Amino acid sequence: MDFLDWKLFTLGTFTLTLGSLLSGVVVILLARIAFVAIRRVFLTRYFRRKKMDEGRQFAISQLVKYVVYVLAFFVAIETVGLNITVLYAAGAALLVGLGIGIQQTFNDFMSGIILLMEGSIKKGDWLLIGDMEGKVMRIGLRTSLIQTRRRIAVIVPNSKITIENVINMSHGNAFIRYDIAVPVAYGSDTRQVEKILIDCATRHSGVMKAPGPFVRMVDYGESALKFELHFWSNQFQRIVDVKSDLRFEVEKRLREEHITIPLPQRDLRIISGTPVSPP
């Protein structure tokens, strides 16, 4: 007997032989080779001609890869001798049995397809999802990988990205306005404070020159005059460092000009007298 006819597994009328198993493996390997060839020969030229950004290229490549692998999977199933019709029936029964249990997974899967096809969020974009802010490292069919400022990899279900209000700082925005609060003591030269704040912002490389920074005196506080420095920046990923640099420089310049950043003050009244005893 030919070694390719060796029986590895038998279930009812289905028998898995070594030859059919190898055939299925060859189909999967050929699918891998086919995808690499498609990406290098066709997709690369297409991306170059359309001048697509990296995130869009990644999305289209992922969709092509999934289509090739799904087709290869069904071909491999046929190759090993499984009846596709029976597989469909079993899959349908399984879906009915699982019911609501896989509903969320299905939502995540469909959301992944929407993200990859729509291209509104791409690899490399900087997102704000609730209290989390980070860079998109990968978009999969069910989940996406977000890397935060602290370089923590967070796996986010795709449905969370498509359903919730997500701010994509990289989408359609060349720059964003940021604010820094600066309190100064009463009696300070307010125009001098304004001049110092604008000068500090203008000198920083992370601050846009046009539109330029501006200052508002927003309120009279209990212990200080409250100013806000407003500036525009395209440094989404390092904006925390930009703000820190500005605070260091502002504090230094105010100190040099003898302008005080006051501490909170409270007036304490002590009323002397003879306490009255309760009746």
Side-chain angles (χ1 to χ4, degrees):
M1 182 178 62
D2 191 347
F3 78 97
L4 293 178
D5 293 329
W6 288 352
K7 295 181 180 179
L8 301 177
F9 178 76
T10 300
L11 179 62
T13 59
F14 169 71
T15 300
L16 177 65
T17 65
L18 180 59
S20 60
L21 177 62
L22 292 176
S23 299
V25 172
V26 169
V27 170
I28 300 299
L29 292 176
L30 289 176
R32 172 63 180 172
I33 295 173
F35 170 69
V36 172
I38 292 173
R39 184 178 58 186
R40 292 182 178 179
V41 176
F42 299 103
L43 293 182
T44 302
R45 295 178 181 176
Y46 178 74
F47 296 152
R48 190 181 300 115
R49 186 171 66 253
K50 295 294 184 179
K51 297 181 180 179
M52 289 187 178
D53 57 85
E54 180 184 355
R56 191 66 172 168
Q57 292 180 26
F58 176 79
I60 294 177
S61 296
Q62 287 291 93
L63 283 175
V64 173
K65 181 175 72 173
Y66 292 140
V67 170
V68 171
Y69 283 177
V70 167
L71 292 176
F73 171 76
F74 286 111
V75 173
I77 291 297
E78 286 281 5
T79 303
V80 299
L82 278 175
N83 191 324
I84 295 294
T85 304
V86 174
L87 188 63
Y88 284 156
L94 180 63
L95 291 177
V96 173
L98 294 176
I100 299 176
I102 66 167
Q103 184 176 6
Q104 186 58 49
T105 301
F106 181 75
N107 289 339
D108 293 335
F109 178 82
M110 295 305 299
S111 298
I113 294 178
I114 292 172
L115 289 176
L116 291 171
M117 293 183 64
E118 192 176 55
S120 57
I121 295 175
K122 306 179 292 295
K123 179 183 177 183
D125 284 354
W126 192 264
L127 303 184
L128 178 59
I129 308 174
D131 296 331
M132 183 184 69
E133 189 173 349
K135 181 179 181 180
V136 179
M137 305 303 293
R138 176 181 59 81
I139 300 177
L141 274 181
R142 195 182 69 83
T143 61
S144 294
L145 183 65
I146 310 294
Q147 182 174 281
T148 65
R149 294 188 189 277
R150 300 173 62 185
R151 299 189 67 81
I152 297 175
V154 181
I155 299 175
V156 181
N158 287 329
S159 60
K160 184 179 180 68
I161 299 176
T162 56
I163 294 175
E164 295 190 5
N165 292 328
V166 176
I167 299 176
N168 187 347
M169 296 184 177
S170 305
H171 182 67
N173 294 316
F175 45 84
I176 294 176
R177 199 189 81 181
Y178 298 93
D179 312 318
I180 292 180
V182 181
V184 300
Y186 278 97
S188 302
D189 186 338
T190 54
R191 291 303 179 186
Q192 180 67 8
V193 173
E194 178 186 31
K195 180 180 177 181
I196 291 172
L197 296 182
I198 291 179
D199 187 58
C200 290
T202 303
R203 291 173 179 270
H204 197 287
S205 61
V207 175
M208 304 287 295
K209 300 301 184 291
F214 63 95
V215 173
R216 287 194 178 112
M217 189 169 73
V218 295
D219 202 359
Y220 299 101
E222 293 183 1
S223 307
L225 299 171
K226 296 183 179 181
F227 288 81
E228 282 185 355
L229 170 61
H230 304 275
F231 64 95
W232 305 82
S233 178
N234 56 6
Q235 305 295 315
F236 312 122
Q237 300 186 32
R238 55 180 299 269
I239 192 61
V240 175
D241 296 329
V242 173
K243 285 186 172 183
S244 177
D245 293 343
L246 288 174
R247 291 189 181 102
F248 274 116
E249 186 63 22
V250 166
E251 193 278 334
K252 175 186 174 184
R253 292 288 302 279
L254 291 178
R255 184 161 28 88
E256 291 174 351
E257 298 293 331
H258 306 289
I259 297 174
T260 306
I261 298 179
L263 295 173
Q265 299 177 6
R266 294 289 185 273
D267 292 333
L268 180 63
R269 280 185 165 184
I270 301 176
I271 302 176
S272 60
T274 304
V276 178
S277 301

